Amino acid sequence: MNFLNLLTVNALNIFHPSLPVLEQELFNILFQDKNIRIERIVSKGHTSPASGWYDQEDNEWVLVLDGAGTILFENGREVKMQKGDYLHIPAHAKHKVSWTDPDRQTIWLVVHYPVLN
Amino acid sequence: MNFLNLLTVNALNIFHPSLPVLEQELFNILFQDKNIRIERIVSKGHTSPASGWYDQEDNEWVLVLDGAGTILFENGREVKMQKGDYLHIPAHAKHKVSWTDPDRQTIWLVVHYPVLN
């Protein structure tokens, strides 16, 4: 019975395709549904624009899958993140990415979910 | 001015502490909010109970951070997952973990979010 084998499929992979050159940060939506959006961001030395802050309508949970980066909040709190580190960023907590490793890719997994009553 | 440095904190890390012995699968809730629950599961040769299926009220998005495992659905679909692979499991899609690598830890990131109208 090859029934099960015929139905075996490969899952999608967050680490592929790898990216030899990154002129811009790469954003990919991995999954989106009514009340969630899961993204992969690949950075290499990229930071947020020098002026202004991210001020998001949605809550965010972020995990560094590879590399390293620093998130700075408007209130002065700075979180240095490396592979495996994770952080919750509530909606409207103004923040920016103040540093990412210039020598290697930093892969972020970002989960956005809405503020709901 | 050391103002910013004083506020620098470490993020939590999904890969630590590492676990030398695993008699049972390890479940940790990394983050929980009103409409989301993010868990880490660490397996080493563990599988779901032989009989029955997971039949979950919530939607699930799962990512293998390390190791390898296989998810079997009641309809015969089998998804072999390794590091970096991700999969969406809708609410009430009956499934089980039919295999995890017995020789090393498999680390799963699991995002649960509710079915909302």
Side-chain angles (χ1 to χ4, degrees):
Chain A
M1 276 294 288
N2 285 321
F3 178 67
L4 288 182
N5 288 336
L6 287 173
L7 291 168
T8 298
V9 295
N10 290 320
L12 297 170
N13 194 289
I14 204 168
F15 293 112
H16 299 284
S18 60
L19 305 155
V21 177
L22 279 181
E23 297 191 2
Q24 299 187 343
E25 274 190 315
L26 186 83
F27 286 75
N28 289 103
I29 296 177
L30 304 180
F31 178 72
Q32 186 160 26
D33 201 353
K34 195 185 292 180
N35 290 298
I36 200 164
R37 187 174 78 255
I38 300 177
E39 296 176 342
R40 179 188 65 174
I41 302 172
V42 184
S43 318
K44 190 175 177 184
H46 303 90
T47 60
S48 305
S51 64
W53 301 90
Y54 289 126
D55 182 5
Q56 299 172 157
E57 298 290 323
D58 286 348
N59 297 299
E60 176 176 337
W61 185 87
V62 60
L63 166 66
V64 175
L65 292 173
D66 205 9
T70 300
I71 294 180
L72 177 64
F73 289 85
E74 192 188 29
N75 67 4
R77 179 180 174 222
E78 185 181 47
V79 184
K80 294 177 189 257
M81 301 182 72
Q82 56 185 336
K83 179 180 173 179
D85 290 347
Y86 57 91
L87 181 68
H88 179 242
I89 303 176
H92 299 299
K94 294 183 184 177
H95 66 283
K96 63 173 68 176
V97 177
S98 58
W99 180 83
T100 59
D101 193 327
D103 298 324
R104 55 181 172 159
Q105 290 182 8
T106 297
I107 303 178
W108 310 83
L109 177 76
V110 185
V111 179
H112 297 274
Y113 67 99
V115 178
L116 295 168
N117 294 318
Chain B
M1 275 295 286
N2 285 323
F3 178 66
L4 289 182
N5 287 337
L6 287 173
L7 290 168
T8 299
V9 295
N10 291 320
L12 297 169
N13 194 290
I14 203 167
F15 294 112
H16 300 283
S18 60
L19 304 155
V21 178
L22 279 181
E23 297 191 3
Q24 299 186 342
E25 275 189 316
L26 187 81
F27 286 75
N28 289 103
I29 296 176
L30 304 179
F31 177 72
Q32 187 161 25
D33 200 353
K34 194 185 294 179
N35 291 298
I36 199 163
R37 187 174 78 255
I38 300 176
E39 296 176 344
R40 179 187 65 174
I41 302 172
V42 184
S43 317
K44 190 174 177 184
H46 302 91
T47 60
S48 305
S51 64
W53 301 91
Y54 290 126
D55 182 4
Q56 300 172 155
E57 298 291 323
D58 286 348
N59 297 299
E60 176 176 337
W61 185 87
V62 60
L63 166 66
V64 174
L65 293 173
D66 206 9
T70 301
I71 294 180
L72 176 65
F73 290 84
E74 192 188 28
N75 67 2
R77 178 179 174 222
E78 185 181 48
V79 184
K80 293 177 188 255
M81 301 182 71
Q82 56 185 338
K83 180 180 174 180
D85 289 347
Y86 57 91
L87 180 69
H88 180 242
I89 304 175
H92 299 298
K94 293 183 185 177
H95 65 283
K96 62 173 68 176
V97 177
S98 58
W99 179 82
T100 60
D101 193 326
D103 297 325
R104 55 181 172 159
Q105 290 182 6
T106 297
I107 304 179
W108 310 82
L109 178 75
V110 185
V111 179
H112 298 274
Y113 66 99
V115 177
L116 295 169
N117 294 319

